[in-house]
Amino acid sequence: MNYLSLDDARTTQLAERLDGVRRRIAAARPAADAAEPTLIVVTKFHPGTDVQRLRLLGVADVGENRDQEAAAKAAEVADPDLRWHFIGQLQSNKAKSVARYAHSVHSIDRPSLAKALDRAMVAEQQESARAKLRCYIQLDLSGAYPELAAPAGSGRGGLAPSSMMGLAERIGASEALELAGVMAVAPLGVDPEPAFELLAALSGQLVGEHPEAKWISAGMSHDLETALAYGATHLRVGSDILGPRPAVL
Ligand SMILES: *Cc1c(COP(=O)(O)O)cnc(C)c1O
């Protein structure tokens, strides 16, 4: 694939949308002296050529939520400077595949998955000088909405906050995983503010025991401003940059 041939109308469109999101981030940053958040561009359902276009535009972090799709794209794009962030529900039997290309996994929600990823990363490290896999604990924030009868967060994934510390211990004690922090998706159809406020509090608890685990992966196309107000360090933005995704099959 010749990168220069990708300097086309789609690249111009992506450049404009990326610029729009970057301006929203700049406007919403709580303080000019706060560290600049990392923008992860979520490329799920969009082709590898779009990842290459984003590369051309200076994007270094991309997010995917399905192993099969991510593995194929990572092989197609084959760019060692691109960081692949795995952000979706993950079965333990996919750990070996994900460890091959992922820089970070944002969706660790149980000890058995941490164990499988650790084993897979140890094997990877025996073959290449790979850094540890950065791991975020995905939390279920539906508890921030006690007034809702049916937990709004059900189906969005994540671990009960009361189990966070136990999983952090497990990741901290692993050989090839590095505890990066917390991740969450705000419940659908409600004001995201209580969710991100709870996430910030949980992050504070985690950092109290694991000072290095200070990252907060939160904020998507529609709620990145609120996430930034509550300390998000890593934003995962898809549709506002790439456009609508095709309907899920
Ligand atoms: C798809 C996805 C995103 C991006 O969502 P947009 O609304 O398209 O910005 C972020 N996080 C996770 C976990 C996702 O699955």
Side-chain angles (χ1 to χ4, degrees):
M1 174 58 67
N2 178 356
Y3 268 55
L4 289 178
S5 70
L6 289 172
D7 194 5
D8 55 9
R10 173 65 169 160
T11 302
T12 306
Q13 180 186 52
L14 290 176
E16 283 167 8
R17 290 185 181 154
L18 185 61
D19 196 47
V21 167
R22 283 182 175 147
R23 266 180 288 162
R24 279 171 63 196
I25 294 169
R29 271 174 74 188
D33 59 348
E36 194 170 340
T38 298
L39 172 61
I40 298 163
V41 181
V42 178
T43 49
K44 65 189 184 198
F45 294 105
H46 293 279
T49 43
D50 275 352
V51 176
Q52 290 169 313
R53 289 182 174 96
L54 290 163
R55 239 2 236 137
L56 214 53
L57 300 171
V59 169
D61 295 272
V62 291
E64 288 284 336
N65 72 340
R66 295 183 194 197
D67 171 57
Q68 211 180 2
E69 183 182 343
K73 260 183 244 181
E76 179 191 347
V77 177
D79 184 333
D81 296 326
L82 196 53
R83 292 184 288 262
W84 294 88
H85 297 254
F86 194 87
I87 63 172
Q89 303 256 41
L90 184 55
Q91 292 173 294
S92 295
N93 62 8
K94 301 280 170 63
K96 220 172 142 183
S97 172
V98 169
R100 231 165 266 145
Y101 58 83
H103 164 273
S104 307
V105 175
H106 291 237
S107 43
I108 310 226
D109 58 1
R110 56 196 193 278
S112 57
L113 178 58
K115 189 177 167 193
L117 284 167
D118 188 34
R119 198 182 300 148
M121 275 309 292
V122 167
E124 278 295 314
Q125 287 183 327
Q126 279 163 1
E127 287 174 25
S128 61
R130 290 276 304 277
K132 289 184 178 185
L133 181 69
R134 297 219 187 151
C135 294
Y136 296 77
I137 297 177
Q138 183 175 356
L139 294 164
D140 172 14
L141 301 179
S142 56
Y145 303 86
E147 70 283 9
L148 296 177
S154 48
R156 309 223 84 186
L159 180 70
S162 57
S163 302
M164 175 180 75
M165 285 302 189
L167 182 53
E169 289 297 312
R170 177 69 189 79
I171 295 171
S174 66
E175 267 182 75
L177 309 181
E178 180 180 299
L179 183 61
V182 291
M183 178 276 209
V185 180
L188 272 175
V190 289
D191 174 8
E193 195 165 339
F196 293 142
E197 190 177 3
L198 174 60
L199 186 63
L202 292 166
S203 170
Q205 279 178 30
L206 183 68
V207 169
E209 296 283 324
H210 303 269
E212 70 296 343
K214 60 186 181 202
W215 306 126
I216 300 177
S217 168
M220 306 166 42
S221 290
H222 66 285
D223 59 15
L224 70 88
E225 281 86 358
T226 312
L228 285 169
Y230 287 95
T233 61
H234 290 67
L235 304 164
R236 309 176 311 269
V237 180
S239 43
D240 277 2
I241 295 171
L242 286 127
R245 290 182 279 276
V248 180
L249 299 175

